[in-house]
Amino acid sequence: MHGVIGEARAWLVQTGRSGRYLLGTLMTAMVTLVAAPLLCVPSLAGPWAERHRRRAGALLGRPVEPRPRALRRDLAWLVTQVATGLPAGTLALLCLGNLLLSLVVTVGWWAFPTSDPPRLLLGVRINSWAPALTISLAQFLLLAALAIIALPPLARVHARCCLAVLAPSPAEQLAARVAELTQTRADVLQAHGAELRRIERDLHDGTQARLVAIAMRLAVAGESFPQDPDAAAALVRQAQTETEEAMTELRSVIRTIYPPVLADQGLVGALSTLATRAGVPTRIDIGELGEVPAAVEVVAYFAVTEALANIARHSRATKGAVRVTRNGAMLSAEITDDGTGGADASRGSGLDGIRRRAAALDGTMKISSPPGGPTTLTVELPCV
């Protein structure tokens, strides 16, 4: 029984969404027809078409990625919108309008003057409860069934048509892909150069300076040993201490290149250790990952590390979760928290670093963080 009720509710919700979409399509098709000369301006045609492209994607549940602007395609959509939106929207208006009229007549026929009783679609007059509860109710149920059966497919067909007309051509997709790879390559080279400069600076200012000091102490110890063995021994001990400190600094530099925990425990163990040390209670769920390339391990580890650090510092969350799965050649890491939301990668924060590292491997980063939360960060990396 509960299943039938749930299915009926889903049908009604879907019909309602489809009806709103088609009525909105009718209104925008009329605006497009009336304001066609104005909408042919490139600065207006593009945003107008993009708005309806996103509406169509939302109805179909498809993510709508940014596309290159093409005036010819936008103008073709204006014609298509008028040609298909007017009849589809009019059909939805007639169906839903008569459905509402039938309901009003069935319930409130008695409120109309007896000299001019309301009529149904077939011209039948409703002037008593008998036809109201039979003919009018039958018309209502028939129109309701028609709306449930016809409106969702009609809305989906129109939405697919909208997306098809506005979809970028193969040449445009290739050009966008080349531009994306060019930008990614520039980001990788920039990040690589910055990383090399950081390593060089750490080695020069830290480890190299200590090694020079050690060499000088040993040289002085060697020269002073015949005259003052005790002083030479003290210098050797100081050199030994500085050698241990230099080794510690060197390990610290190496750790930033490839985290030792990955070499020791693998990605699964490293992420589990991260979760236990997170600033908020964090649940971790790791599926069967198989063999993961080292570069992918480093980026996934960095992404989870940065995300958990952001949760602890900024989110005011009480709990978090990390879920890592692999689907074919794609590794996916999803980090969520119940904090205040509002995270934005465009502000130049650590989130942008995650995005750039993922893009370097031809991966993606997506974030959903509405005000008030929750926040979901998804990083997808190809393991090829």
Side-chain angles (χ1 to χ4, degrees):
M1 184 64 180
H2 292 290
V4 174
I5 295 176
E7 189 173 353
R9 185 183 295 113
W11 283 347
L12 292 176
V13 170
Q14 187 179 27
T15 302
R17 291 182 64 240
S18 301
R20 287 195 302 271
Y21 174 84
L22 291 172
L23 293 178
T25 297
L26 174 61
M27 182 176 65
T28 55
M30 295 173 63
V31 172
T32 302
L33 182 62
V34 173
L38 187 62
L39 291 176
C40 289
V41 178
S43 59
L44 296 178
W48 185 246
E50 188 65 19
R51 176 179 179 273
H52 295 82
R53 180 169 169 261
R54 295 188 180 279
R55 285 185 68 239
L59 179 76
L60 297 174
R62 297 181 184 175
V64 178
E65 301 294 337
R67 67 180 181 98
R69 293 286 175 82
L71 180 59
R72 181 180 300 178
R73 185 166 291 103
D74 293 339
L75 295 179
W77 175 82
L78 293 179
V79 176
T80 304
Q81 174 71 351
V82 173
T84 61
L86 286 177
T90 301
L91 180 61
L93 179 63
L94 290 175
C95 182
L96 296 176
N98 282 286
L99 183 64
L100 179 61
L101 177 62
S102 298
L103 180 61
V104 172
V105 170
T106 301
V107 176
W109 65 269
W110 50 270
F112 295 89
T114 56
S115 59
D116 188 20
R119 298 171 181 243
L120 299 178
L121 287 177
L122 300 177
V124 179
R125 296 177 182 272
I126 304 299
N127 51 17
S128 66
W129 282 110
L133 295 177
T134 55
I135 302 176
S136 180
L137 185 59
Q139 177 177 290
F140 174 81
L141 295 176
L142 180 62
L143 289 172
L146 178 63
I148 292 174
I149 294 174
L151 293 188
L154 182 62
R156 288 194 296 268
V157 168
H158 182 275
R160 292 192 186 100
C161 180
C162 176
L163 293 181
V165 172
L166 292 174
S169 65
E172 291 171 340
Q173 291 177 344
L174 179 60
R177 181 61 175 160
V178 170
E180 178 185 356
L181 292 177
T182 301
Q183 182 61 45
T184 300
R185 179 176 178 272
D187 290 343
V188 170
L189 291 176
Q190 183 179 5
H192 181 65
E195 190 74 4
L196 287 179
R197 288 191 296 272
R198 181 192 63 77
I199 295 172
E200 181 182 7
R201 183 176 62 252
D202 291 345
L203 291 174
H204 181 272
D205 297 342
T207 308
Q208 179 177 321
R210 289 190 179 277
L211 291 176
V212 170
I214 292 169
M216 293 177 62
R217 291 184 187 280
L218 291 176
V220 172
E223 292 177 358
S224 61
F225 181 77
Q227 293 81 18
D228 191 352
D230 293 337
L235 290 173
V236 170
R237 287 192 295 271
Q238 292 177 5
Q240 182 180 4
T241 301
E242 291 186 356
T243 301
E244 294 174 353
E245 293 175 353
M247 292 177 62
T248 300
E249 288 187 357
L250 185 59
R251 283 194 295 268
S252 178
V253 173
I254 294 174
R255 186 176 294 109
T256 63
I257 301 174
Y258 187 83
V261 68
L262 285 176
D264 297 339
Q265 303 180 26
L267 182 60
V268 175
L271 294 180
S272 301
T273 302
L274 274 180
T276 59
R277 298 176 179 175
V280 298
T282 301
R283 177 177 55 83
I284 189 162
D285 178 16
I286 302 179
E288 180 60 39
L289 302 184
E291 185 176 353
V292 180
V296 176
E297 286 187 335
V298 172
V299 173
Y301 180 79
F302 172 83
V304 176
T305 302
E306 185 67 28
L308 292 179
N310 286 340
I311 293 173
R313 288 196 299 261
H314 308 300
S315 71
R316 301 179 185 173
T318 60
K319 61 182 179 179
V322 176
R323 184 171 182 267
V324 183
T325 57
R326 180 169 178 174
N327 183 12
M330 189 65 67
L331 180 76
S332 175
E334 182 180 274
I335 305 96
T336 60
D337 68 76
D338 63 349
T340 57
D344 186 359
S346 63
R347 297 175 183 171
S349 61
L351 295 175
D352 187 57
I354 297 176
R355 180 194 61 77
R356 287 188 287 105
R357 285 178 179 253
L361 299 182
D362 205 18
T364 60
M365 185 205 78
K366 298 178 182 177
I367 185 167
S368 172
S369 184
T375 296
T376 300
L377 174 71
T378 304
V379 178
E380 293 186 336
L381 303 168
C383 298
V384 292

